[in-house]
Amino acid sequence: MVLGATITLVLVQLNAASKLAGSRPFRFFGPSRLHKVVDHQHYREHLPELMEAAEPHFVLFTSGISADGSPWCPDCSKSNPIIREVIFASGGSLLEVTAGDRHEWADRKHPLRVDPQCPARYVPTLYYWTPSGCGSSIANPLNSDEQDETLRLLVAKFVAQTAAGQRYVDAVTKDIIASGGKACNRC
């Protein structure tokens, strides 16, 4: 009984101290991280689940899978693992939305391309997701011509700019940026 009351008091004090310091409330058992791959036609149905998962929240619009099991888009093949690495190291959650096969994506009226709120004109496109919907995005520089270090650095800078102060974002992105994208010590 006394132990339970003591633990409760310590948690209340930690939360109060973190609020005074301007950070998010401290949690021992916070929401778990989410990584889910869904079809573009149904991705909005999964957004509430993303928002309940660990922050920061990101949505990655990516190509579909070819017959050999790999993404048909070479930019996605190269960028997606690096995007996952940085987001997961930052403690965040990721919803991957597939655009379908190459033929479907080639249609200029593809639903993702013409979405008035969160258009994805390129794959991959990474959005920072907020409770009010899509926030900032990064797309065109995420291409297969870039070195892994350059891609890691681009993603880390994007995560640092959009989600600073959330979970492990500051520590992880600082490490990646300091190394010029060569290392992710916490990944």
Side-chain angles (χ1 to χ4, degrees):
M1 183 75 134
V2 173
L3 180 60
T6 303
I7 291 172
T8 302
L9 180 61
V10 168
L11 290 174
V12 167
Q13 289 175 341
L14 281 171
N15 278 336
S18 68
K19 285 180 185 176
L20 286 174
S23 62
R24 297 172 43 95
F26 180 80
R27 290 191 224 183
F28 278 112
F29 303 106
S32 62
R33 181 178 61 194
L34 171 77
H35 176 231
K36 194 172 210 177
V37 180
V38 299
D39 182 74
H40 70 88
Q41 296 167 338
H42 305 287
Y43 88 92
R44 292 193 186 275
E45 299 165 16
H46 298 276
L47 291 173
E49 183 181 4
L50 175 68
M51 296 311 293
E52 290 296 318
E55 294 184 53
H57 304 118
F58 293 92
V59 174
L60 173 62
F61 295 102
T62 184
S63 70
I65 302 299
S66 64
D68 69 358
S70 64
W72 53 257
C73 164
D75 295 345
C76 297
S77 291
K78 181 138 184 182
S79 298
N80 291 1
I82 293 169
I83 291 168
R84 287 184 206 112
E85 172 188 290
V86 174
I87 289 173
F88 296 155
S90 72
S93 294
L94 179 65
L95 181 65
E96 290 187 41
V97 180
T98 61
D101 65 23
R102 185 184 303 264
H103 181 280
E104 187 177 1
W105 178 247
D107 181 0
R108 293 290 172 206
K109 293 185 181 179
H110 188 284
L112 293 178
R113 290 182 188 265
V114 297
D115 186 325
Q117 297 167 333
C118 303
R121 293 185 177 91
Y122 305 97
V123 289
T125 295
L126 180 64
Y127 271 102
Y128 172 64
W129 212 268
T130 69
S132 59
C134 57
S136 299
S137 69
I138 183 172
N140 207 20
L142 298 173
N143 65 61
S144 57
D145 295 338
E146 300 294 342
Q147 298 295 319
D148 287 358
E149 294 84 12
T150 304
L151 290 169
R152 190 174 294 109
L153 190 58
L154 285 167
V155 175
K157 285 181 178 180
F158 176 71
V159 171
Q161 290 169 354
T162 58
Q166 295 184 31
R167 288 190 66 148
Y168 312 109
V169 168
D170 298 336
V172 169
T173 56
K174 182 180 173 185
D175 286 350
I176 296 170
I177 293 167
S179 74
K182 291 183 175 95
C184 182
N185 298 331
R186 300 166 202 253
C187 295

